[in-house]
Amino acid sequence: MSPPDDKPLTVSAEEINCLIHAYLEDSGFMHTAYTIRNEAQLDNNPYFERHIPRGELIDLLTKSLMYMEIEEHWDGSALKLDCKSGFSLLEPHQCQSDSPREPAQNGEQISGQEVSSQNQVDEDHEMELESTIKRKADVTLETNGRVEKRPRFESEPPPATVADEAQPTDQIPDVKPEETATEATSKAPKFNRNAGPADESTPPDAIQLLQGHECEVFVCAWNPTKIGLLATGSKDAVVNIWKIPGPPPDGSGVSPHCSEAPLKLAHFAKPESADLTSLDWNPDGTLLAIGSYDAILRVCDTNGRLYMTSELHEGPIFATRFSPDGQWLLTASLDGTACLWNVRTKILRHRYRCHLDCCLDVDWINANTFASCGADKLIHILKLGEDKPIWSFTGHTNEINQIKCNPRRTRIASCSDDKTARVWNLDSALAHRDPNRPMLPADNNCVTLKGHRGNVSSVEWCPQVSNTNELLASSGFDGSARLWDSVTGDCLKVFQDHKRPVYALSFSPEGKWLATGSGDGWLHIYDVQTAQRKWSWYAGVDKPGVYEIDWQRTGNVNRIAIALESRNVGVIDVTRIQVLQDN
């Protein structure tokens, strides 16, 4: 049989543009992706509707780099195996070896030790590439935190080894703040493990994995009044409402697992462009606001019926927030606006055009005052009935990913790509009424929290209100979470157990525990008082990311919902984890 005709290898600008657009979306740079989509006219691109696997651009670059490495080390008859110098996309390669060695001849076997060494070099190099291309949390997506605005990250190899969880928590080495996550985790013994709790005392059925999504699950939210009702949303725009059984009323026996199929909300005409970013229940638990990338606001009831919808936003909706009294609904969008909706009349009350770039997050301060933040590095304090901000804060030097008002409603915490979190005093802002007042710099109105070595993606206030200074937690792409004294700015503890970006933070409702979730597949729970790790759970090797955490505690119900990259929803019954029981 004659060989087939040679076909030319072609790469078109249309293909490259689509790859770059997909990479930007995967990384969470949604406003940049939105810009290239318009400027490159991708809607008219013949490749735009084709599915591009997550991380495809990185995979192609990695394969190209491997080809370059082989090309560099091939002398025409054999491959040089003792080069100790790494390969880079942008740096010229210079071979270095410990000692000269004859290359392997054709047919000569390479020892297992050499193969293992080469595999380790490849793995180290892939990790190095990954660390330089971090995606933007709820947020979210990225996150979660939803700095991206959903927690999604580059396609990456699952961790081959994990820290030795069998090591007693009181023997976990304390990590210095200046240490990176990689440096810290390299100190611990490592081994392979399966999915499940790190300890041997937790009953396996204390954790239930709900299977009802066909794509990565980005967001989850417990209903505040209807105990057992859980909303979850995935990349393909599917919203599921689950009915999770609670413990028996008499307090006896084990909580039954969820056996009912979830209620699926089907209100998305083009699911491929409607990745979910936000789920928010109103205070009485009757309505669920849904934010997504298709720029359409949707509000549904607990039976899945569409209560209201609007297409007024001109870009992805990153956040939805009901007011404390449930009368108003806020939305934040890539189009740079924050919109205020009257929930009863279902109409837009006001569109705030205060940000010079996309509006990334909003949060209520009280029933008629709220805050917004954006990629323009600004935080605005806005009031119902006022067209302009009544106060504005400056000080961050990069995009502000998330804002959260404290339980006392007197301060706001923010986190940014400038590697800091900040705490802002609201006394002056709430007392002031002149919308023409110029923006104030970060002086005595702000406490700056420094220590992270990468973008800070999420912040969370400890809900416990006492006479002591309020505590604040932050997490970021450096793989760490930190606990702060929000008044003094002192870092009380650096949690360095994760090996990938930390996407999710959640305090238990009474403030005793802090849960963290990461792209490395681990959920860790820490004692806030002692800052010790008390319990851990691993999502597994395949698609391990933990994207969002929501903790529910009321009466004799104490459980955690987790949104997982593995397309599952995890529900953890905390009452069955002995080390997490109140003393």
Side-chain angles (χ1 to χ4, degrees):
M1 183 177 68
S2 60
D5 296 336
D6 290 339
K7 295 182 179 180
L9 196 69
T10 60
V11 178
S12 67
E14 288 83 2
E15 292 173 300
I16 297 298
N17 288 339
C18 287
L19 281 170
I20 294 174
H21 178 268
Y23 161 71
L24 291 171
E25 281 201 334
D26 288 350
S27 302
F29 303 121
M30 298 310 302
H31 51 289
T32 309
Y34 181 76
T35 300
I36 194 174
R37 176 175 178 172
N38 287 331
E39 292 188 354
Q41 297 182 345
L42 294 186
D43 290 320
N44 300 324
N45 189 318
Y47 301 101
F48 189 57
E49 295 299 327
R50 297 188 182 183
H51 172 68
I52 298 178
R54 188 161 56 93
E56 181 72 5
L57 179 60
I58 305 304
D59 287 345
L60 292 174
L61 288 174
T62 302
K63 292 175 182 177
S64 299
L65 199 65
M66 294 172 64
Y67 179 85
M68 292 167 57
E69 183 178 15
I70 293 173
E71 184 181 48
E72 180 72 25
H73 293 150
W74 181 257
D75 65 2
S77 60
L79 187 66
K80 182 178 181 179
L81 298 174
D82 60 348
C83 177
K84 303 300 181 182
S85 179
F87 244 82
S88 169
L89 281 172
L90 303 179
E91 295 293 332
H93 179 72
Q94 293 182 348
C95 284
Q96 294 180 357
S97 57
D98 293 337
S99 59
R101 177 186 184 276
E102 290 296 325
Q105 301 298 320
N106 291 340
E108 181 178 326
Q109 297 295 319
I110 302 175
S111 70
Q113 182 177 0
E114 291 168 336
V115 171
S116 176
S117 175
Q118 184 61 40
N119 288 342
Q120 184 62 46
V121 170
D122 292 343
E123 181 179 349
D124 292 344
H125 172 67
E126 197 163 5
M127 291 290 288
E128 181 180 353
L129 273 178
E130 174 194 344
S131 66
T132 62
I133 314 172
K134 292 303 180 186
R135 54 111 182 125
K136 274 276 302 168
D138 140 328
V139 89
T140 150
L141 134 268
E142 319 10 58
T143 334
N144 185 322
R146 303 182 191 131
V147 197
E148 15 212 33
K149 285 298 291 185
R150 52 172 165 72
R152 181 165 67 175
F153 57 95
E154 288 300 328
S155 179
E156 55 194 5
T161 58
V162 294
D164 187 354
E165 313 81 5
Q167 187 178 14
T169 54
D170 58 357
Q171 295 180 16
I172 296 175
D174 204 12
V175 180
K176 298 178 180 179
E178 62 270 15
E179 288 181 322
T180 65
T182 302
E183 291 169 346
T185 53
S186 65
K187 295 180 178 181
K190 299 178 179 181
F191 65 98
N192 292 325
R193 68 161 300 113
N194 296 321
D199 63 319
E200 297 181 354
S201 61
T202 300
D205 60 354
I207 300 95
Q208 182 182 10
L209 294 180
L210 307 178
Q211 299 177 344
H213 287 283
E214 297 181 359
C215 286
E216 298 95 324
V217 184
F218 290 145
V219 284
C220 59
W222 290 107
N223 188 294
T225 61
K226 297 173 175 58
I227 306 306
L229 215 59
L230 173 66
T232 60
S234 54
K235 177 183 176 182
D236 57 1
V238 170
V239 177
N240 284 340
I241 297 182
W242 310 81
K243 292 183 179 180
I244 313 296
D250 60 1
S252 62
V254 177
S255 301
H257 278 193
C258 177
S259 58
E260 294 184 28
L263 173 66
K264 290 185 180 292
L265 280 58
H267 301 296
F268 295 86
K270 296 181 179 179
E272 67 278 0
S273 62
D275 300 9
L276 297 185
T277 60
S278 176
L279 294 176
D280 189 55
W281 291 100
N282 66 343
D284 63 10
T286 58
L287 296 175
L288 177 68
I290 305 168
S292 75
Y293 279 17
D294 68 358
I296 300 175
L297 170 65
R298 296 171 179 87
V299 180
C300 298
D301 63 18
T302 55
N303 294 316
R305 292 187 293 262
L306 197 62
Y307 174 78
M308 65 171 285
T309 182
S310 173
E311 300 183 18
L312 289 180
H313 275 299
E314 299 173 357
I317 298 173
F318 292 151
T320 55
R321 300 282 187 275
F322 282 102
S323 61
D325 59 7
Q327 182 179 355
W328 307 102
L329 174 64
L330 281 173
T331 53
S333 172
L334 177 73
D335 62 17
T337 68
C339 286
L340 178 70
W341 309 84
N342 187 310
V343 176
R344 182 180 61 83
T345 62
K346 308 178 186 180
I347 62 174
L348 177 69
R349 165 68 181 272
H350 194 81
R351 175 176 286 184
Y352 297 88
R353 301 181 182 273
C354 308
H355 288 284
L356 306 175
D357 204 332
C358 58
C359 182
L360 292 176
D361 201 13
V362 287
D363 196 21
W364 288 94
I365 299 171
N366 53 46
N368 59 7
T369 311
F370 66 94
S372 67
C373 68
D376 57 1
K377 314 168 194 175
L378 299 176
I379 298 174
H380 295 307
I381 308 301
L382 298 136
K383 189 176 179 65
L384 273 63
E386 301 278 0
D387 291 335
K388 298 181 181 179
I390 63 172
W391 202 266
S392 298
F393 293 113
T394 65
H396 278 297
T397 59
N398 210 327
E399 297 185 9
I400 303 173
N401 297 315
Q402 191 181 60
I403 50 175
K404 290 284 182 68
C405 190
N406 67 337
R408 293 171 177 162
R409 324 312 289 178
T410 57
R411 294 182 297 160
I412 277 185
S414 59
C415 59
S416 168
D417 284 358
D418 64 10
K419 304 179 183 180
T420 72
R422 295 174 184 251
V423 179
W424 311 84
N425 193 328
L426 291 174
D427 291 343
S428 298
L430 297 180
H432 191 65
R433 291 295 180 268
D434 181 7
N436 296 316
R437 174 71 180 262
M439 293 177 290
L440 290 186
D443 43 28
N444 57 354
N445 290 293
C446 169
V447 176
T448 303
L449 311 178
K450 297 181 179 179
H452 283 283
R453 295 196 167 197
N455 299 348
V456 186
S457 56
S458 57
V459 286
E460 189 77 20
W461 289 96
C462 182
Q464 186 176 14
V465 177
S466 64
N467 294 327
T468 61
N469 293 343
E470 289 178 297
L471 300 180
L472 181 76
S474 64
S475 65
F477 292 170
D478 59 359
S480 76
R482 291 170 179 259
L483 190 65
W484 308 86
D485 183 315
S486 66
V487 175
T488 66
D490 294 334
C491 183
L492 305 178
K493 180 66 177 180
V494 182
F495 303 110
Q496 291 276 21
D497 294 307
H498 290 295
K499 299 169 66 177
R500 301 282 170 84
V502 180
Y503 301 146
L505 284 175
S506 180
F507 282 97
S508 59
E510 80 289 349
K512 181 177 177 59
W513 310 106
L514 172 64
T516 62
S518 166
D520 63 6
W522 283 99
L523 172 82
H524 294 307
I525 297 180
Y526 300 90
D527 187 314
V528 173
Q529 189 67 32
T530 65
Q532 288 186 336
R533 186 181 67 183
K534 300 296 290 186
W535 188 79
S536 298
W537 178 80
Y538 185 48
V541 173
D542 186 32
K543 296 184 177 295
V546 177
Y547 284 159
E548 190 160 89
I549 303 170
D550 195 22
W551 200 313
Q552 179 188 60
R553 183 165 189 177
T554 178
N556 58 351
V557 173
N558 188 3
R559 52 195 175 191
I560 301 170
I562 46 179
L564 298 171
E565 185 190 8
S566 62
R567 307 176 183 179
N568 296 323
V569 176
V571 177
I572 300 173
D573 186 350
V574 179
T575 64
R576 304 193 62 207
I577 303 174
Q578 188 60 40
V579 295
L580 299 183
Q581 302 314 301
D582 295 334
N583 296 326

